[in-house]
Amino acid sequence: LEVTTDPAGARVSFQPYEDFEGPWHPLGETPISDLRVPRGVFRFRIEKADYATIEVPHSVPLASWSARRKAELTGSPLFSVEDRSNRLDFHLGHEDEMPEGVVAVEGGIYSPVPLVGLPFIYGDAPQIPRFFIDRTEVTNRAFQDFVAAGGYQRRELWPQRIEIGGREVSWGEVQSAFVDSTGRSGPARWELGDYPADKADHPVGGVSWYEATAYCAFRGRRLPTLFHWARAAFPSQDNGAPLSPVMARWSGFSQEGPAAVGAHRATSVAGAVDMGGNVAEWTLNAGGRGRYVLGGSWVDPGYLINQASSVPPDTRPATTGFRCATYEDGPETDVLSEPLELPSFEFSNIPPMSDEAFEQTRRLHAYQRSPLAAEVESSETLSWGAREEWVTIDAAYPGERIPIRLRLPSNGSPPYQVVVVVHTLESLIASTLRGHSYEPWEEFLVKTGSSGRARFGGNVRAPGRAHRQCVL
């Protein structure tokens, strides 16, 4: 691990991401280099007198994933070496100079952008200068300032062209369209121009893209582009020890409603909160059916945390809100603000496969049943008691053998319940599987027995009677 700050001399401490009440472990003062730390997702705290404290999560993957080391070995530059979302490298801001309620997001290259459907952008890696983004989603209390200041009547705050139902409308039509449930100017779910009394610190919802844009202009700011939002949420190389699934576990997904901002414990790579769940968030970019919303809302499952959806800009669902950002104009911003078309598929428009084509596809996968010709190549007893066997079998195509690593419990007898473990990318880049590390829960699985249906990261269909478990 490397930790660098400008200026140097900042104290660094860390704790496991999900150990919210645990102690902070000191690491030393910056610059820190070649520090040996566990693999996993952690939160890091950077402190220096007279400077604003930074608290951000960071993913510590395997040492073999070090982009800097790979670049040194291969002699070829990699974008990820310069990508500050992949490392702990910060410009410290004086406490009295930091805008209130925002987090700073370090600038530089950001590639690839880890949103589902977004192409890998290695050739034209986005350059995103340092910027600020709201730490939380805009609250009902904050949006009330906009309403009270006549924000709905101030034409200069709103986009020049406004479309409702797919057609451009006059300013008068805008006034009558974006109203609350009682016909007054305000978000769709408000009443009499005001929010529910006990929801002041909840994120504002039921606002269109146009209302969100006008509010940010009222604050002298703007909506984040899709790229700015993603840069504040996730590291670009979100693998090895990925951050997004850990964020999703502690975000406001699959809930009955939104919570007060900051109530959920998940923090983004830049230290912002609620970038997953609670309310989905408008971004600046056009594309698809309208404008992109990111992060998912309280009604969504957690896997939507890094998926973009395009919706008409005049829609006002209760599940959609926003946050503002501050970034400078320039060539990079112009590029990042351009319309963006993410791939999408309308499956109902795809003609069904013909019977002939289906039969050809079926035959391609209809391997003939033949003896496996299994051979045990080696066997040894592991330190924790299980027996490990390396077995090879004939492949379904001629001339090749498939290696299988089999772990059998020492305190059981056949028949075994078989659990097939598919490892992460780490195993795919290994030169050999022999001696390859395994997850600690594999040991737990082999040692324990189960009956009926077992749950371990998903449903495993077990036989009708209990068997000792074997990991294949």
Side-chain angles (χ1 to χ4, degrees):
L1 185 73
E2 295 181 2
V3 189
T4 53
T5 59
D6 178 20
R11 299 187 311 278
V12 181
S13 55
F14 83 107
Q15 68 177 183
Y17 187 97
E18 299 176 273
D19 188 15
F20 299 104
E21 308 303 330
W24 287 86
H25 306 282
L27 290 177
E29 291 191 354
T30 59
I32 297 172
S33 62
D34 296 327
L35 184 68
R36 191 175 178 88
V37 295
R39 185 182 77 163
V41 181
F42 302 91
R43 284 197 307 278
F44 289 82
R45 181 179 287 170
I46 295 94
E47 302 170 284
K48 186 176 175 65
D50 300 326
Y51 290 88
T53 296
I54 295 173
E55 189 174 308
V56 294
H58 184 66
S59 169
V60 182
L62 297 177
S64 60
W65 285 66
S66 170
R68 187 178 302 277
R69 186 169 303 172
K70 285 183 179 179
E72 292 171 353
L73 292 174
T74 62
S76 61
L78 297 175
F79 283 130
S80 50
V81 174
E82 303 303 325
D83 187 341
R84 295 175 79 171
S85 74
N86 295 328
R87 50 195 171 101
L88 292 166
D89 179 14
F90 302 101
H91 171 81
L92 303 182
H94 282 277
E95 288 181 326
D96 56 356
E97 296 176 354
M98 285 289 292
E100 184 179 357
V102 303
V103 294
V105 188
E106 300 299 337
I109 288 174
Y110 186 57
S111 180
V113 180
L115 296 175
V116 174
L118 195 68
F120 276 41
I121 313 178
Y122 282 116
D124 292 314
Q127 288 276 359
I128 305 179
R130 189 173 189 262
F131 67 98
F132 298 97
I133 195 167
D134 287 343
R135 181 178 178 273
T136 71
E137 295 155 330
V138 173
T139 63
N140 284 314
R141 188 200 310 273
F143 199 85
Q144 177 63 57
D145 294 341
F146 171 74
V147 176
Y152 277 88
Q153 289 73 46
R154 294 173 57 180
R155 182 67 181 91
E156 74 276 9
L157 298 176
W158 293 68
Q160 289 299 310
R161 179 184 175 90
I162 299 177
E163 293 185 358
I164 298 178
R167 67 178 182 87
E168 186 174 3
V169 298
S170 67
W171 179 239
E173 291 176 279
V174 172
Q175 299 283 288
S176 60
F178 297 139
V179 294
D180 66 18
S181 60
T182 58
R184 297 192 182 184
S185 297
R189 271 67 181 178
W190 285 19
E191 293 181 357
L192 301 175
D194 203 355
Y195 55 84
D198 58 342
K199 305 296 183 183
D201 294 322
H202 281 58
V204 65
V207 291
S208 67
W209 180 86
Y210 298 110
E211 291 163 277
T213 301
Y215 173 88
C216 289
F218 168 72
R219 296 295 188 187
R221 309 176 70 203
R222 63 182 78 181
L223 282 177
T225 70
L226 178 147
F227 297 97
H228 285 91
W229 191 98
R231 172 63 185 86
F234 315 114
S236 64
Q237 300 287 343
D238 198 21
N239 46 28
L243 171 63
S244 54
V246 182
M247 281 179 58
R249 280 201 294 274
W250 295 95
S251 296
F253 288 107
S254 302
Q255 304 291 314
E256 294 183 358
V261 297
H264 301 291
R265 314 284 302 256
T267 52
S268 76
V269 73
V273 297
D274 295 322
M275 298 201 80
N278 230 24
V279 291
E281 301 180 21
W282 288 110
T283 62
L284 183 66
N285 298 77
R289 297 185 299 160
R291 301 283 173 163
Y292 287 107
V293 294
L294 296 175
S297 75
W298 80 80
V299 302
D300 295 318
Y303 59 76
L304 293 184
I305 190 170
N306 57 357
Q307 184 163 313
S309 299
S310 175
V311 297
D314 57 314
T315 55
R316 311 172 81 206
T319 53
T320 303
F322 66 100
R323 72 183 72 214
C324 302
T326 301
Y327 48 94
E328 297 179 357
D329 290 322
E332 297 91 350
T333 300
D334 293 341
V335 172
L336 300 177
S337 304
E338 292 176 354
L340 181 67
E341 293 299 330
L342 298 184
S344 61
F345 301 94
E346 185 57 56
F347 291 100
S348 61
N349 295 334
I350 300 176
M353 182 182 290
S354 68
D355 292 343
E356 180 183 9
F358 177 78
E359 180 61 22
Q360 291 176 351
T361 303
R362 188 191 67 79
R363 289 179 180 178
L364 178 64
H365 300 283
Y367 298 121
Q368 293 184 352
R369 292 183 177 274
S370 59
L372 295 179
E375 294 183 5
V376 178
E377 292 193 349
S378 65
S379 177
E380 66 174 308
T381 300
L382 303 178
S383 59
W384 43 276
R387 188 171 82 256
E388 180 176 274
E389 294 182 354
W390 281 93
V391 181
T392 60
I393 62 173
D394 279 343
Y397 31 88
E400 292 193 37
R401 301 277 289 174
I402 297 176
I404 298 171
R405 180 167 62 179
L406 189 66
R407 289 196 174 100
L408 301 167
S410 57
N411 57 348
S413 58
Y416 297 109
Q417 174 188 354
V418 176
V419 178
V420 179
V421 177
V422 180
H423 276 283
T424 58
L425 188 61
E426 173 195 345
S427 61
L428 298 181
I429 63 173
S431 58
T432 177
L433 288 179
R434 293 187 181 276
H436 183 65
S437 63
Y438 65 94
E439 299 292 345
W441 51 262
E442 292 183 33
E443 178 180 335
F444 173 83
L445 268 178
V446 176
K447 286 181 176 180
T448 187
S450 71
S451 61
R453 182 179 292 274
R455 280 187 67 87
F456 208 91
N459 288 333
V460 178
R461 188 174 299 278
R465 57 195 178 93
H467 296 305
R468 286 294 180 180
Q469 291 175 326
C470 134
V471 171
L472 183 64

